[in-house]
Amino acid sequence: MHSSALLATLMAAVASAHVIISYPGWRGNNLVTNETFPYGMQWEYPCGGVGTTKNRTYWPTTGGAVAFQPGWFRGHETAFIYINLGFGTDGPDNGPKDMSNPMLPPVQILGPSNGPYPGTVCFPQVPLPKDANVKPGDLATIQVVEHAVHGAALYSCVDIEFVEPGDSKVAEVNETNCFNSSEIGFAEMFTVATVNPATGKRYDEDSAAKPSASRHLTWLPVLLLGAAWALV
Ligand SMILES: *[C@@H]1O[C@H](CO)[C@@H](O)[C@H](O)[C@H]1NC(C)=O
Ligand SMILES: *[C@@H]1O[C@H](CO)[C@@H](O)[C@H](O)[C@H]1NC(C)=O
Ligand SMILES: *[C@@H]1O[C@H](CO)[C@@H](O)[C@H](O)[C@H]1NC(C)=O
Ligand SMILES: *[C@@H]1O[C@H](CO)[C@@H](O)[C@H](O)[C@H]1NC(C)=O
């Protein structure tokens, strides 16, 4: 009894942040820390130390649900979640060539204020990456990345085969496998516009935007001079 409680505490401490893809499945248990993976498997790019699997799960060609347990958070820890898709099996390890196709904009999640706590996050309708063109039978890999506050990332993947939406091979999505736990919050991520919407150019390369910047620069010494006069 006492030793199992101690073990649970130790496990919770070790598993301070891990990504388990609870829907549509995952490549396999990669919550392992051993001599081969002294920092833990999940820190290994691209799929947390687990190779491409043959037991693929079925997922609709129009996109579908992705649910995961982002781990156990202590304090006010936050993390950024990215969901990417890699196409085909022509890359390393008979998996995708790369995992560089984002499916959702990154989401910031906020752990509970006191923990550790388990929790689930589900996106019921994750779309395909922009400009993706898939048909039933195509193979791909969904990658969930959990970017921790200290900059390193945890990885977990699931290998999928696309099927028509509504195909009975797609596991049902319901409130038992797709829900948001109340102890995990979300924060909006703000992006700063570095492109001038009027010209479509980056501000630092946009000559049309430069005059106003240099005008501010020429006014600055005048203002400082004015301030100096005011002090005299
Ligand atoms: C594939 O098999 C592994 C090993 O048995 C298992 O852990 C994993 O959950 C399976 N993945 C899917 C998507 O069924
Ligand atoms: C560590 O765990 C992984 C995954 O279970 C396994 O493939 C590997 O052989 C293990 N390494 C050692 C040294 O036991
Ligand atoms: C939810 O769907 C899963 C299959 O994905 C099924 O095993 C489970 O029984 C369903 N739960 C309910 C309450 O319908
Ligand atoms: C969970 O929260 C996210 C972020 O607000 C939202 O996009 C998603 O639809 C929610 N999932 C469910 C099952 O309500």
Side-chain angles (χ1 to χ4, degrees):
M1 173 65 197
H2 278 113
S3 65
S4 70
L6 179 65
L7 185 65
T9 310
L10 283 174
M11 289 292 289
V14 170
S16 57
H18 280 107
V19 204
I20 296 174
I21 309 176
S22 48
Y23 186 97
W26 67 345
R27 280 189 171 186
N29 181 3
N30 59 356
L31 301 171
V32 174
T33 300
N34 62 16
E35 279 153 51
T36 318
F37 300 98
Y39 297 104
M41 288 180 82
Q42 291 216 336
W43 303 100
E44 298 273 320
Y45 182 86
C47 287
V50 191
T52 312
T53 53
K54 295 235 186 316
N55 57 339
R56 289 173 179 271
T57 188
Y58 299 96
W59 211 66
T61 50
T62 48
V66 175
F68 53 90
Q69 295 165 0
W72 287 263
F73 293 85
R74 277 163 294 153
H76 290 91
E77 271 183 296
T78 65
F80 296 102
I81 302 289
Y82 299 77
I83 303 180
N84 302 312
L85 191 74
F87 296 102
T89 55
D90 297 336
D93 186 38
N94 298 314
K97 281 194 179 126
D98 61 69
M99 295 284 184
S100 58
N101 308 288
M103 306 176 86
L104 281 181
V107 187
Q108 185 176 15
I109 55 171
L110 309 171
S113 54
N114 48 21
Y117 262 98
T120 296
V121 172
C122 180
F123 295 98
Q125 183 56 42
V126 175
L128 292 186
K130 201 169 158 282
D131 301 329
N133 182 17
V134 299
K135 55 183 189 318
D138 285 355
L139 306 181
T141 301
I142 297 172
Q143 177 200 47
V144 177
V145 183
E146 182 173 347
H147 215 190
V149 279
H150 47 70
L154 293 155
Y155 303 95
S156 229
C157 293
V158 55
D159 298 306
I160 59 166
E161 177 176 338
F162 284 108
V163 290
E164 296 281 6
D167 190 306
S168 60
K169 286 191 292 239
V170 176
E172 181 191 331
V173 179
N174 55 39
E175 66 283 359
T176 55
N177 57 23
C178 183
F179 61 92
N180 285 335
S181 301
S182 57
E183 45 306 315
I184 296 176
F186 297 90
E188 289 204 36
M189 283 181 60
F190 295 99
T191 51
V192 176
T194 53
V195 172
N196 184 345
T199 61
K201 288 182 182 162
R202 278 169 50 178
Y203 279 114
D204 57 351
E205 291 171 347
D206 191 348
S207 57
K210 275 207 175 101
S212 71
S214 55
R215 194 162 60 234
H216 285 121
L217 286 178
T218 47
W219 274 106
L220 188 63
V222 177
L223 289 172
L224 289 175
L225 203 62
W229 272 110
L231 285 173
V232 170

